[in-house]
Amino acid sequence: MGEAKRRKTTLGEEYGQDTRILPWVPITKSQAEQFVNLTTRGAWIGIFLMVAAWITIRFIGPAFGWWQVVF
């Protein structure tokens, strides 16, 4: 516990707060991690939607006679 108390006195009010990426950017490391997770999830959703649209346009639509695929 001695190290934690020493760190608390050294940091003062900043003790226990999340650290920033850069001192002049108001974004913390946890916020940056959340942003990466959100954009990764969004990319996977976009990939899934693109594959679903491709399957619909290429196979489902012509099978039901909605349109014809022209080569």
Side-chain angles (χ1 to χ4, degrees):
M1 286 298 269
E3 180 62 29
K5 289 180 182 177
R6 214 172 301 120
R7 192 177 310 120
K8 185 174 182 179
T9 58
T10 304
L11 293 175
E13 290 183 12
E14 295 179 6
Y15 182 74
Q17 294 180 355
D18 204 7
T19 57
R20 292 183 172 190
I21 294 174
L22 296 171
W24 47 274
V25 177
I27 298 174
T28 61
K29 289 183 179 181
S30 64
Q31 289 173 332
E33 185 177 334
Q34 288 175 345
F35 176 75
V36 170
N37 291 337
L38 180 67
T39 55
T40 302
R41 184 176 296 128
W44 279 111
I45 290 170
I47 291 168
F48 173 76
L49 291 175
M50 183 179 67
V51 169
W54 180 79
I55 288 173
T56 301
I57 291 169
R58 182 66 177 93
F59 298 110
I60 296 174
F64 286 119
W66 294 339
W67 55 78
Q68 293 179 357
V69 177
V70 179
F71 293 101

